[in-house]
Amino acid sequence: MDFSIGELARRTQVKVPTIRYYEQIGLLAPPPRTEGQQRRYDKKSIARLAFIRHARELGFNIEAIRALLSLQDNPDQSCSVADRIASARLAEVEERIASLSALRTELQRMLKECACGRVAECRVIETLADSTHRHGRLAEN
Amino acid sequence: MDFSIGELARRTQVKVPTIRYYEQIGLLAPPPRTEGQQRRYDKKSIARLAFIRHARELGFNIEAIRALLSLQDNPDQSCSVADRIASARLAEVEERIASLSALRTELQRMLKECACGRVAECRVIETLADSTHRHGRLAEN
DNA sequence: CTTGAACCTCTAGTCACTATAGGGACTAGG
DNA sequence: CCTAGTCCCTATAGTGACTAGAGGTTCAAG
């Protein structure tokens, strides 16, 4: 009923080095080892790692996941902490969408106006060089 | 007509260490120095750095900016390279928006269903722990 | 000439992994 | 029992685009 790190990786779709990384930073408890020092996992490990993976998919950072895991381990606490973490993440996502939408608009405008001749009259390059450009925040991606 | 790195930073809204970083990685040419080895910039530096800043605001990565700058330096080339770089960026942005929109939906659902009682019946935690969860790609932010 | 802000280089840290090197353990077949 | 091949181990360094800090030097104003 116990299995290797590679098997855990296969079952959770999390890469082997990532699992070791999660252990190193304390997201996953160090599992028992074989005599030859190889890690052995059980079903609970799958659940825990899947939890982490789902949280990462939703973009929670490691600190948030640490908090969410500790909530899961203490089910008698109020849910409001989890709620606050998820709300904060939602706010981030919404802000991100808004700023990317603005980027999209600007990129579309640049591209539409580009007649695709020489660089000398290229709207893409011109737009970037335009010193009267509004100053937004840097795109984080 | 020439000025310090701090002045350049002030005029372009790019931080001093970032300017030195751009020089180090070859995005900005090393400027002349005073006898005491302090950098001295001119108006052209402002234009170049502003260009870089605008490109970063639009989320172009350093390699893309390197290419865009070299296009600007050779204005007789075809504009199609710039067009392709910008189009690729637009595609990235659109993909990002799509995946963040999916995240938003899921976060909203989690939060709406959370009755905010004990963690034991918290939908936020439950959703994360749900092993039947669809497997999307990890959110890159 | 003195003060103090701004400048210099160099190194290390951020985040969440990913890659590599150089080895040891486990399993199936002969 | 031996071997081949796959998996596993640790430790270190690299990614992108900066940011922070230490420890020292230069500049401009008064």
Side-chain angles (χ1 to χ4, degrees), chain B residues 73-118:
Chain B
D73 292 341
N74 304 295
D76 293 337
Q77 285 186 261
S78 160
C79 178
S80 66
V81 176
D83 207 87
R84 223 169 326 116
I85 293 170
S87 298
R89 176 60 189 152
L90 177 57
E92 271 176 35
V93 168
E94 286 178 337
E95 207 183 328
R96 216 72 197 77
I97 289 174
S99 96
L100 286 172
S101 298
L103 287 195
R104 180 178 51 187
T105 302
E106 188 150 356
L107 286 166
Q108 282 169 340
R109 193 159 42 77
M110 266 171 65
L111 283 163
K112 206 176 63 182
E113 289 175 8
C114 179
C116 252
R118 301 294 100 184

Side-chain angles (χ1 to χ4, degrees), chain A residues 37-55:
Chain A
Q37 298 307 312
Q38 298 195 358
R39 290 168 180 82
R40 288 300 161 223
Y41 295 93
D42 58 14
K43 277 192 172 179
K44 275 193 179 175
S45 320
I46 298 181
R48 191 134 181 125
L49 187 48
F51 184 102
I52 295 171
R53 181 176 144 80
H54 298 157

Side-chain angles (χ1 to χ4, degrees), chain A residues 26-39:
Chain A
L27 267 198
L28 287 176
R33 305 268 187 139
T34 64
E35 280 191 19
Q37 298 307 312
Q38 298 195 358
R39 290 168 180 82

Side-chain angles (χ1 to χ4, degrees), chain B residues 6-126:
Chain B
E7 184 65 15
L8 179 62
R10 207 183 54 68
R11 295 200 201 182
T12 56
Q13 308 278 73
V14 175
K15 287 178 195 150
V16 168
T18 303
I19 297 172
R20 286 196 278 249
Y21 169 70
Y22 286 159
E23 180 182 330
Q24 193 193 312
I25 63 172
L27 267 199
L28 286 176
R33 306 267 188 141
T34 64
E35 279 191 19
Q37 298 308 312
Q38 298 197 357
R39 291 167 179 84
R40 288 299 165 229
Y41 295 94
D42 59 14
K43 277 192 171 179
K44 277 193 179 173
S45 319
I46 298 182
R48 190 134 181 123
L49 187 49
F51 184 103
I52 296 170
R53 181 177 143 80
H54 298 158
R56 288 294 299 132
E57 280 171 8
L58 289 170
F60 290 102
N61 65 24
I62 299 291
E63 280 322 295
I65 295 174
R66 223 186 275 283
L68 291 169
L69 283 169
S70 99
L71 286 173
Q72 199 192 24
D73 292 341
N74 304 295
D76 293 337
Q77 285 186 261
S78 160
C79 178
S80 66
V81 176
D83 207 87
R84 223 169 326 116
I85 293 170
S87 298
R89 176 60 189 152
L90 177 57
E92 271 176 35
V93 168
E94 286 178 337
E95 207 183 328
R96 216 72 197 77
I97 289 174
S99 96
L100 286 172
S101 298
L103 287 195
R104 180 178 51 187
T105 302
E106 188 150 356
L107 286 166
Q108 282 169 340
R109 193 159 42 77
M110 266 171 65
L111 283 163
K112 206 176 63 182
E113 289 175 8
C114 179
C116 252
R118 301 294 100 184
V119 166
E121 60 256 14
C122 175
R123 274 301 288 164
V124 173
I125 301 289
E126 259 177 51

Side-chain angles (χ1 to χ4, degrees), chain A residues 103-113, chain B residues 90 94:
Chain A
L103 288 195
R104 180 178 51 186
T105 303
E106 188 150 357
L107 285 166
Q108 282 169 338
R109 193 158 43 75
M110 265 170 67
L111 284 163
K112 207 177 61 183
E113 290 175 8
Chain B
L90 177 57
E94 286 178 337

